[in-house]
Amino acid sequence: MAQFLFNLFAAFTLVCALGVVVNKNAVNAAMCLLLALVGVAGLFVALNAYLLAFLLLLVYAGAVVALFLFIIMLLDTKGEQRPGLKHASLVARLFAAALVGAGLLSFFARSRLPEPALGPASAAVGAELKLYAYQLFTTYLLPVQVIGFLLLAAMLGVIVISKKLDAAEDAP
Amino acid sequence: MIHATLHAYVALSAALFAIGLLGVLIRRNTLVVFMCLELMLVASTLGLVAFSRFNGTDDGNVFVFFILTVAAAEVAVGLAIIVALFRKRQTIQVDELNTLKH
């Protein structure tokens, strides 16, 4: 059963991720991204990371994809025009794609990961939350502070970016 | 109950990352490129969670916390930059944003 669910969610995620790449329409790409994130959240549940699955849906599906859709609608760009690819850039892209493909192939063909036995499933969901909180406020206290500072800096940065241009445009 | 192996999870994570990278390489729309970047971040978190689960530790999961936070901040700043760029240049196609090239 668990294997079947893994296969299902893995296939779903991969198909939706490919949808993000191949979709011409940006709105459809955002929707595919949303579905791929739902698939990843399902995989998180299969890995017993319930809280992370919930957070992924909340932060990514709830906030990030909504923001993307908002910006796509705001900018209202027409579909991608396709001018002829320049030679050098075409070669570079093919080369990069070939490199990625070769890396993946060698990974699938030759990698040998050790297979650790699956540990016992974690306790109830509430206990897991407590564990996270304990770790965040003991072992990872400094990263939490740094992340808080990063969020503050990002907020200020966004305000400055949005404001400066307005002032420049308003100036005669 | 038969569980999927760690190898399967890591392979899936790598494949997802490769798809995201491919999107970054071949798409022209800056917004879609940005979405593919998010896909790559999520792929890496999947690997972290899988390793964490199979090793019986919680550190990987806590790191995913931080990655989520950084991704949210990154999206906010990135989209603000894209909007500012669009206001200035009236385009978000990668090929037309070549001021630094010339």
Side-chain angles (χ1 to χ4, degrees), chain A residues 12-29:
Chain A
F12 182 71
T13 308
L14 284 180
V15 167
C16 293
L18 274 177
V20 177
V21 175
V22 299
N23 250 319
K24 290 265 188 300
N25 190 339
V27 177
N28 291 350

Side-chain angles (χ1 to χ4, degrees), chain A:
Chain A
M1 186 61 186
Q3 180 71 53
F4 168 72
L5 280 180
F6 171 78
N7 290 342
L8 182 73
F9 278 117
F12 182 71
T13 308
L14 284 180
V15 167
C16 293
L18 274 177
V20 177
V21 175
V22 299
N23 250 319
K24 290 265 188 300
N25 190 339
V27 177
N28 291 350
M31 286 305 175
C32 282
L33 178 67
L34 180 63
L35 289 179
L37 290 173
V38 171
V40 173
L43 288 170
F44 278 8
V45 170
L47 286 167
N48 279 1
Y50 306 111
L51 182 67
L52 287 181
F54 179 67
L55 276 182
L56 189 81
L57 286 182
L58 205 70
V59 173
Y60 263 101
V64 168
V65 175
L67 204 60
F68 265 114
L69 282 175
F70 192 68
I71 298 297
I72 291 169
M73 308 270 182
L74 184 74
L75 298 189
D76 189 30
T77 56
K78 292 128 279 179
E80 261 173 77
Q81 303 99 324
R82 291 214 166 261
L85 272 178
K86 285 193 198 89
H87 231 60
S89 103
L90 183 65
V91 169
R93 280 169 201 197
L94 280 180
F95 189 63
L99 270 183
V100 172
L104 269 185
L105 264 184
S106 75
F107 177 82
F108 282 121
R110 298 196 300 179
S111 64
R112 286 265 182 286
L113 282 177
E115 283 302 336
L118 207 53
S122 57
V125 178
E128 191 196 18
L129 189 57
K130 207 168 172 180
L131 202 80
Y132 277 116
Y134 183 76
Q135 287 228 319
L136 280 178
F137 285 101
T138 54
T139 319
Y140 293 100
L141 186 56
L142 181 64
V144 168
Q145 300 277 342
V146 172
I147 285 285
F149 191 73
L150 176 82
L151 283 176
L152 177 69
M155 192 176 75
L156 291 179
V158 169
I159 292 173
V160 169
I161 288 172
S162 324
K163 209 173 170 179
K164 225 176 186 176
L165 270 180
D166 275 346
E169 275 168 9
D170 289 344

